[in-house]
Amino acid sequence: MISLLQEAAQSVAEHTEAAAAHGADQAGHAAESTGLPQLDIATFPNQIFWLVVTLLALYWVLSNVALPRIAAVISDRQGAITGDLMAAEEFKQKAREAEAAYDQALADARSEAAKIVAANRAEIQKELDAAIAKADAEIAARTAESEKRIAEIRESAVTDAREVAREVTAELVSSFGGNADQAAVDQAVDNRIKGAVQ
Amino acid sequence: MEGNIGELGQYIGVGLTAIGMGGAAIGVGNVAGNFLSGALRNPSAAAGQTATLFIGMAFAEALGIFSFLVALLLMFAV
Amino acid sequence: MATEMEEATGLTFHPMDQFIVKPLFGGGEVHWYTPTNVTLWMAVVALAIIALLVMGTRGRAIVPNRAQSVAELSYGMVHKMIEDIAGKDGLKYFPYIMTLFMFITVSNFAGLLPKAFTVTSHIAVTGVLALAVFVSVTAIGFIKNGAHFLDLFWVRSAPLAIRPVLAVIEVISYFVRPVSHSIRLAGNMIAGHAVIKVFAGFAAIAAVAPVSILAVVGMYAFEILVAFIQAYVFTILTCVYLKDALHPSH
């Protein structure tokens, strides 16, 4: 155990010596300021080792965790979008059906209304016709009555006029000294009146 | 400014190598310009060709980068 | 070189110092296991990605919040890119490409934070990324198509006489792919950050300070654009290579 420790200590000491020597060398190198850091072959194993470690770690993480997750999220979103689109299509279909039903109802209501209107109109027409007929009959009756009365009035007027004319004629004839024959006077007056009326 | 003749030659060489990058610049400009004139003639086809544009530019530029590398090597590694 | 300029003009330009890999705890050598600023910023990047893609989507909301919609946006972008370019059978490699894209994008953006270290500005890092793409795409090509994958290099639409020449060119261009793929990204990052640093260095002179600050602001805006475009280009080229592997016949 002790020997192991001693060995380790020795190797560490050797290492530090070597490192110091190298550091001095590097310092001299830097002072000269020549040499591209990219072309310093001594650092290549270090870079390559850490690069490989990094890349393997990244590859593991990406292929096992990150990329499947992102792919899942994207396909989920695609699914959600397609689902939403289908739902929207369904809603649209429903809306279209509702619109059709509404239109149907509207048309029904309209035809019903038209029917009612027609029925009402017919009824009203009937009543109207009846009323008109009644009114016509009444008017006809009244007209007939009026005509009868007019005829009576005219008749009586004609008779009165004839009476007056006969009397006046008889008076005239007698006052002129003539012997008025009642029948002849009447005959003459009637003839005259008939001519005037005609 | 009394240096040795070797350094003089080195710097002249580096300067000459840098001219090579001008060639790459012309090449890249050519690629981009021709792409643009083509894209303006037919804009609908341009979007699909950007990858080709970048590949072409990369190839043209690579040669300039080579000359840059040679300049660096001359400057620092020789 | 820089020291001489310092002495001459009083300006200090250390545009490349921001890329130095340093151990996090104390000095010393950079071993392969040493926690360095690379480690720190890669951890920051990884945690940021996990925060965005895992914590952000924790709600699993149908109507996303801000973080979740950013996560879904990046998911959708990469998904669509693969589907458009590589085809449906490319979607099997979606997590892999998504990892690359998120890592590059987030580290480019994280590198733009003040005092940050840009991990993608290192050729070692982008080289590994590009080589990983190259090797995996080639393997996929041979596994899926067997020897038919070599049709990629044998251009049947060309006359028979020039096909061998084309084959050589195709093979070369195929093997140059990881080089240009990695250097494009790293080079863009180095260039942008170095230019910002150089402009910032000029701010030490009072006379040109306003101009240099304006230039830094402009470059910074441009770098935000570049940070995204380079990640996009890296990913899109990966998709193009994947398409070649899945459908090699032209």
Side-chain angles (χ1 to χ4, degrees):
Chain A
M1 195 61 199
I2 292 164
S3 65
L4 251 172
L5 270 176
Q6 276 178 339
E7 255 178 49
Q10 205 177 353
S11 75
V12 164
E14 275 171 12
H15 248 86
T16 27
E17 270 180 30
H22 191 82
D25 194 6
Q26 266 196 333
H29 211 65
E32 281 171 35
S33 185
T34 54
L36 212 52
Q38 275 84 355
L39 299 178
D40 188 359
I41 307 277
T43 65
F44 276 22
N46 181 275
Q47 296 188 44
I48 291 168
F49 169 68
W50 289 112
L51 174 68
V52 169
V53 168
T54 313
L55 282 184
L56 287 181
L58 273 181
Y59 183 80
W60 188 86
V61 170
L62 256 65
S63 59
N64 285 304
V65 184
L67 299 183
R69 185 186 289 178
I70 297 176
V73 167
I74 289 177
S75 68
D76 272 6
R77 176 170 316 136
Q78 208 58 47
I81 289 172
T82 349
D84 284 358
L85 280 180
M86 271 161 72
E89 193 60 41
E90 215 167 274
F91 282 133
K92 212 172 167 186
Q93 191 61 36
K94 269 186 194 160
R96 217 173 271 149
E97 275 166 17
E99 202 189 347
Y102 168 78
D103 280 349
Q104 186 60 41
L106 200 65
D108 284 356
R110 215 167 256 160
S111 67
E112 191 75 17
K115 233 181 266 171
I116 289 168
V117 164
N120 280 355
R121 185 176 287 158
E123 209 169 298
I124 288 167
Q125 193 68 43
K126 215 191 277 169
E127 278 174 18
L128 200 63
D129 284 352
I132 287 172
K134 200 172 151 199
D136 277 354
E138 213 164 292
I139 288 165
R142 279 196 194 163
T143 311
E145 200 178 321
S146 303
E147 269 172 9
K148 204 166 85 190
R149 274 178 60 195
I150 288 166
E152 266 170 33
I153 289 165
R154 185 181 284 159
E155 195 64 32
S156 69
V158 167
T159 323
D160 287 355
R162 190 177 292 154
E163 266 334 289
V164 171
R166 276 181 195 163
E167 277 173 25
V168 169
T169 310
E171 275 312 309
L172 279 173
V173 168
S174 65
S175 64
F176 279 125
N179 193 3
D181 179 3
Q182 192 64 37
V185 169
D186 285 357
Q187 184 69 39
V189 168
D190 281 354
N191 280 346
R192 273 301 179 98
I193 285 174
K194 212 169 266 175
V197 168
Q198 280 167 0
Chain B
M1 220 25 199
E2 66 276 6
N4 59 37
I5 194 89
E7 261 184 25
L8 178 71
Q10 189 183 354
Y11 291 152
I12 290 175
V14 171
L16 287 176
T17 320
I19 295 172
M21 286 186 269
I26 294 170
V28 173
N30 231 337
V31 172
N34 281 331
F35 176 80
L36 191 60
S37 68
L40 288 177
R41 274 172 210 275
N42 188 2
S44 57
Q49 298 303 317
T50 42
T52 325
L53 168 75
F54 279 116
I55 294 172
M57 281 173 104
F59 280 131
E61 196 194 18
L63 302 170
I65 295 294
F66 287 159
S67 84
F68 171 73
L69 189 77
V70 171
L72 279 182
L73 289 176
L74 274 179
M75 190 92 167
F76 294 105
V78 176
Chain C
M1 174 204 76
T3 42
E4 286 160 27
M5 272 210 328
E6 267 171 59
E7 282 156 18
T9 60
L11 286 176
T12 49
F13 290 115
H14 295 296
M16 295 302 162
D17 283 7
Q18 58 181 322
F19 302 123
I20 292 174
V21 177
K22 292 185 287 270
L24 273 184
F25 309 109
E29 211 169 335
V30 177
H31 293 287
W32 61 269
Y33 52 82
T34 318
T36 55
N37 47 358
V38 179
T39 320
L40 172 67
W41 282 99
M42 280 187 182
V44 167
V45 167
L47 290 179
I49 294 172
I50 289 170
L52 178 65
L53 294 186
V54 178
M55 305 294 177
T57 58
R58 203 173 29 184
R60 298 163 191 256
I62 294 287
V63 179
N65 58 10
R66 216 176 293 176
Q68 194 184 328
S69 52
V70 170
E72 283 173 16
L73 209 64
S74 52
Y75 179 99
M77 200 189 89
V78 177
H79 200 268
K80 189 172 176 302
M81 202 192 288
I82 299 173
E83 204 174 346
D84 286 354
I85 296 173
K88 282 251 185 257
D89 40 355
L91 285 179
K92 218 164 79 183
Y93 312 103
F94 173 59
Y96 180 52
I97 295 177
M98 185 73 181
T99 308
L100 289 179
F101 174 74
M102 288 313 291
F103 178 76
I104 295 171
T105 319
V106 176
S107 51
N108 286 356
F109 280 133
L112 284 171
L113 297 172
K115 293 279 180 188
F117 177 85
T118 322
V119 287
T120 41
S121 71
H122 272 262
I123 289 169
V125 171
T126 60
V128 168
L129 294 175
L131 269 179
V133 169
F134 179 77
V135 169
S136 51
V137 156
T138 311
I140 290 167
F142 275 115
I143 290 167
K144 291 260 168 189
N145 305 292
H148 277 297
F149 183 56
L150 297 173
D151 285 354
L152 188 63
F153 309 116
W154 196 249
V155 187
R156 293 205 187 279
S157 54
L160 189 60
I162 61 168
R163 273 185 212 170
V165 183
L166 279 180
V168 171
I169 293 173
E170 288 280 335
V171 168
I172 292 172
S173 80
Y174 189 80
F175 282 98
V176 167
R177 274 175 181 185
V179 178
S180 67
H181 206 183
S182 61
I183 287 178
R184 178 181 305 110
L185 177 56
N188 266 294
M189 290 299 114
I190 299 170
H193 286 77
V195 166
I196 288 179
K197 260 286 170 8
V198 168
F199 278 132
F202 277 114
I205 305 172
V208 293
V211 180
S212 92
I213 288 166
L214 272 180
V216 168
V217 171
M219 274 309 293
Y220 197 90
F222 183 64
E223 279 309 300
I224 291 172
L225 184 70
V226 165
F228 177 73
I229 286 183
Q230 288 310 315
Y232 181 78
V233 162
F234 193 97
T235 319
I236 217 166
L237 285 177
T238 306
C239 293
V240 170
Y241 299 160
L242 187 62
K243 186 205 77 181
D244 280 350
L246 293 173
H247 318 283
S249 48
H250 287 264

